[in-house]
Amino acid sequence: MDFLSLFLADFVKQLQSPTLGFLIGGMLIAALGSELVIPESICSIIVFMLLTKIGLTGGIAIRNSNLTEMVLPILIAALVGVVIVFIARYTLANFPKVKTVDAIATGGLFGAVSGSTMAAALTLLEEQNIPYEAWAGALYPFMDIPALVTAIVVANIYLNKKKNSVAASTTQESLSNQPVTSGNDSDQPNYPNSRQEYLSQKKDVANNRVKIWPIIKESLQGPAVSAMLLGLALGIFTRPESVYKGFYDPAFRGLLSILMLVMGMEAWSRLGELRKVAQWYVVYSIIGPFLHGLIAFGLGMIAHYTMNFSIGGVVVLAVIASSSSDISGPPTLRAGIPSANPSAYIGASTAIGTPVAIGICIPFFIGLAQAIGGK
Amino acid sequence: MDFLSLFLADFVKQLQSPTLGFLIGGMLIAALGSELVIPESICSIIVFMLLTKIGLTGGIAIRNSNLTEMVLPILIAALVGVVIVFIARYTLANFPKVKTVDAIATGGLFGAVSGSTMAAALTLLEEQNIPYEAWAGALYPFMDIPALVTAIVVANIYLNKKKNSVAASTTQESLSNQPVTSGNDSDQPNYPNSRQEYLSQKKDVANNRVKIWPIIKESLQGPAVSAMLLGLALGIFTRPESVYKGFYDPAFRGLLSILMLVMGMEAWSRLGELRKVAQWYVVYSIIGPFLHGLIAFGLGMIAHYTMNFSIGGVVVLAVIASSSSDISGPPTLRAGIPSANPSAYIGASTAIGTPVAIGICIPFFIGLAQAIGGK
Amino acid sequence: MDFLSLFLADFVKQLQSPTLGFLIGGMLIAALGSELVIPESICSIIVFMLLTKIGLTGGIAIRNSNLTEMVLPILIAALVGVVIVFIARYTLANFPKVKTVDAIATGGLFGAVSGSTMAAALTLLEEQNIPYEAWAGALYPFMDIPALVTAIVVANIYLNKKKNSVAASTTQESLSNQPVTSGNDSDQPNYPNSRQEYLSQKKDVANNRVKIWPIIKESLQGPAVSAMLLGLALGIFTRPESVYKGFYDPAFRGLLSILMLVMGMEAWSRLGELRKVAQWYVVYSIIGPFLHGLIAFGLGMIAHYTMNFSIGGVVVLAVIASSSSDISGPPTLRAGIPSANPSAYIGASTAIGTPVAIGICIPFFIGLAQAIGGK
């Protein structure tokens, strides 16, 4: 009973934190039809500053820390990123009306990490005085990239197999016969420019392999990940403490509050997108963040007991597993799995996955950590 | 004599404050042809941050304060907002060559409040160490909304009466006869799409009532007011002290200095717009801010003596009465009184009203308060 | 030996400073194909805030300082600005394949000052605890404007002489005969709209004088210089200490770090522009910054020994001489010397000159100052 009451009290208290308050505030003013708009360029620079700050924190911490203690959490992060994609492949993909490539892409987005969600979790941990390793934020790309790469590879293997089974009979036809191609289109409604892509995928089929390196490269080159890696590198190789303490660190929470507001407004405005998506995406988007977070939490507890990984660090692992990418992931997936329907995976992620992760999973895992930690 | 010398010394001293310094600096560099441009997106985020901060201040204060002491200032704010519109209706509207609807709309804009002007006043009060109630900034919407609603209602009642007196004879003609309609247009030069609007107003005439709720809703949904209300709600219902003290509060004066610069440049560049405005608007725009401010100052002094409302709070009341809306008001009026000429009311407000309110009325009322306060 | 080792140790240490770290980081992530983009509007406001802050610093310092001690450094700054243009006129212009007007324009750009480079130098001086006069940043326009004016005047005198020698024979032809004009074009490949400009220059030839005042005016009206002069004026005539200490000063280093990142990315992306430019520009752009900086350093040392000008101030003089204008200079030159090829002077300045000035010359002159200063 003590566990539950501690957890509930903590849950309510966190809804009053400015971070979640601005998220809920954003939803409310969007619901009330406010004409407030935060300009796109402001959002970009805020994301840049938040991710650079997280990278700098991690880099400075790595410079001053024992690298061996990072190995197990990094392996856990990568493993969880891969597992999340396979969960989507063997659950969501088998639900009625759900297309397999869409399910795999959704799994990739839920395996990938949202920098804003992580930033919110780190801030809440500090507000609750729960210590965590300063390098914990640097676990981000170790889960993000494996998830996106796995999703793209699994999707291409699936498309590859499917094509092989039908290729022999239809290739001739679809090349010579326009009406047949458009017939194909009608049962693949989200497959734009299907002719060209079909041809390019046929080439991949011929090569019989998916190129993994370009996917990794593209993930690393996205604005969010590259800002974080830049911060990481500057933290390790230069002495950025003066700008860190005088600029990036003090601005962090304030900038995050603005971004939370924007995410709240966006979540509200995208609720409509879900009408186009089968109900199973809604089920997946609500259960997924908890399930993924719990797997990471469980694996993190192993590191907690064996390697003295902090309980705060376990929460960070759980939250980045709960989170789904909203900035860097979608363009990578759009390029890597062009036949998947963006309104399915982006809708599921931003309209349900992210609010659930920030608004419910973060307080849930912090509550869990405090209850377990006996604090 | 002591009163006057105190007042003058204070007036000159305030022109050296950074807030007014940046305003005058903006006018100067615009006059000298500087190519400096502050991007639009930066102005939006500055307005958002200033108004959110004012809202947060008010919300935190309301959470910790006695609500009964707010009642009288709120009533005064609303009363002044309404009175300002009627002043315009019975002075400006009767001047030669001034159309009645234009005069009413101008009164609505001068009754509405400029968030930036209020922010400048709050900052100057702090610079002069004049205390005021922390919730004073929250008086904003209580004057803003009544003024806009009153203007739209009064304008529609006026149009309604006018239509009734001519409707019987002209309706048939104007419906059947295009040339007659364009003949009407020439004596109503600022009446775009007069045919459709005439018809929709005829419907209102039929209903014989003006819808007030949409006007209130639109005022509340404007970017400035909704940022302030968001801050107010977050201040009351959450615990935003950490982001308030670490971000919104310290950034306030600096961001305001940039906005003052922009307003100075804009005021200069819009001087040209005044050529399109009849000379009586110029007279009204110079005298109006003083007259409105003095009425609010007088009523505020009653609250000062009866309810212990601070002298700083009286200045805030006077300044928001002096100020005229430059961001949220114009679109509301354009929608609510489509037959009024925007270049009349916007030109009067932004080219003369706002510079007079910030550059002259603020120092004037602060000087008055200090002289009266015996400081 | 002690001199060299001190210098080298310092050089390496400065590459670890956040200022240079972000510059190198920007080059690296651009080289690695990052999709990170800092929005244009953010860059504008950063430049505005940096230059306003430098102006405010200078203005507050001038208000509190002895003006006579500024005379010699100001004269040196102006002299160096003029000399740099003549160096380009009599070296670069005589190299093979280099057009004379292009060389003069390039000299003008290298004589003009980069606000960002100066900001980086001031920050590094503070990081190294080397004192300098607070008004040193205000030397900026005293070198910037003479350099641009000299370049435009020298170029016009050159074009004037050249025209006079050929005008008599070709004017008739080029006016009447379109093919001949396009024949001219082919040997003046970077001369867009040559017909109209030729005619307008012919008019100048007729007037036989170059108008100097418009060039000075345009330099003063550029966004960077006018922000700095605004700060200077506000520092001298108002009391901006509160916004200075609470906003412009603390934000300075952090904003600079973002701008350094942008400049690093730009420098990388413009390396390609150099292929279009003769190799001699590369040689000039590498040697120029050192040579110009050394001249200013030498003249500055005279002021150091005679007028007690600080060694940090000497470094500031040397760095603004090393730097080449990347924001305000190009549009002034494009308007003042329309026949010069922008890809020559802008390419030379931003792709080589600026990185050399920031990344090599600043550490070099700071090291030199420390070695000489016996620190």
Side-chain angles (χ1 to χ4, degrees), chain C residues 21-36:
Chain C
F22 273 84
L23 183 84
I24 297 167
M27 287 181 177
L28 268 176
I29 66 170
L32 296 170
S34 166
E35 283 154 25
L36 181 69

Side-chain angles (χ1 to χ4, degrees), chain A residues 132-150:
Chain A
Y132 60 89
E133 285 76 10
W135 47 262
L139 293 172
Y140 179 135
F142 295 105
M143 187 182 294
D144 197 61
I145 294 166
L148 293 172
V149 170
T150 306

Side-chain angles (χ1 to χ4, degrees), chain A residues 162-177:
Chain A
K162 194 175 146 195
K163 289 284 151 53
N164 280 342
S165 62
V166 286
S169 57
T170 60
T171 305
Q172 265 329 92
E173 268 183 292
S174 67
L175 283 175
S176 57
N177 208 336

Side-chain angles (χ1 to χ4, degrees), chain B residues 156-177:
Chain B
N156 281 293
I157 290 170
Y158 165 78
L159 289 167
N160 191 340
K161 280 186 196 161
K162 195 176 145 194
K163 289 283 150 55
N164 281 340
S165 62
V166 286
S169 57
T170 60
T171 304
Q172 265 329 93
E173 267 182 292
S174 68
L175 283 175
S176 58
N177 209 336

Side-chain angles (χ1 to χ4, degrees), chain B residues 15-16 18 21-22 25-26 29 32-39 41-42 127 250-251 253-255 257-258 261, chain C residues 40-42 44-45 48-49 52 56 217-218 221-223 226-227 230 234 237-240 242-243 246-248:
Chain B
L15 293 180
Q16 284 200 322
F22 273 85
I29 65 171
L32 296 170
S34 165
E35 283 155 25
L36 181 68
V37 173
I38 304 294
S41 58
I42 302 298
E127 283 172 14
R253 287 189 190 193
L255 294 175
S257 73
I258 300 177
L261 184 74
Chain C
E40 191 50 40
S41 58
I42 302 299
S44 309
I45 194 71
F48 165 78
M49 284 189 60
T52 302
L56 285 171
K217 207 177 130 200
E218 196 161 352
Q221 287 173 341
S226 64
L230 171 77
L234 289 172
F237 298 112
T238 72
R239 298 283 175 274
S242 61
V243 284
F247 186 68
Y248 291 96

Side-chain angles (χ1 to χ4, degrees), chain C residues 156 159-160 163-164 167 171 175 191 195-211:
Chain C
N156 281 295
L159 289 168
N160 191 340
K163 290 281 152 53
N164 281 339
T171 304
L175 283 175
Y191 202 133
R195 185 72 169 274
Q196 294 90 313
E197 279 165 22
Y198 180 87
L199 290 173
S200 80
Q201 273 156 10
K202 218 172 63 100
K203 222 164 96 185
D204 283 345
V205 171
N207 292 338
N208 216 14
R209 60 196 171 87
V210 176
K211 289 180 195 93

Side-chain angles (χ1 to χ4, degrees), chain C residues 150-164 210:
Chain C
T150 306
I152 297 173
V153 172
V154 168
N156 281 295
I157 290 170
Y158 165 79
L159 289 168
N160 191 340
K161 279 187 194 160
K162 196 176 143 196
K163 290 281 152 53
N164 281 339
V210 176

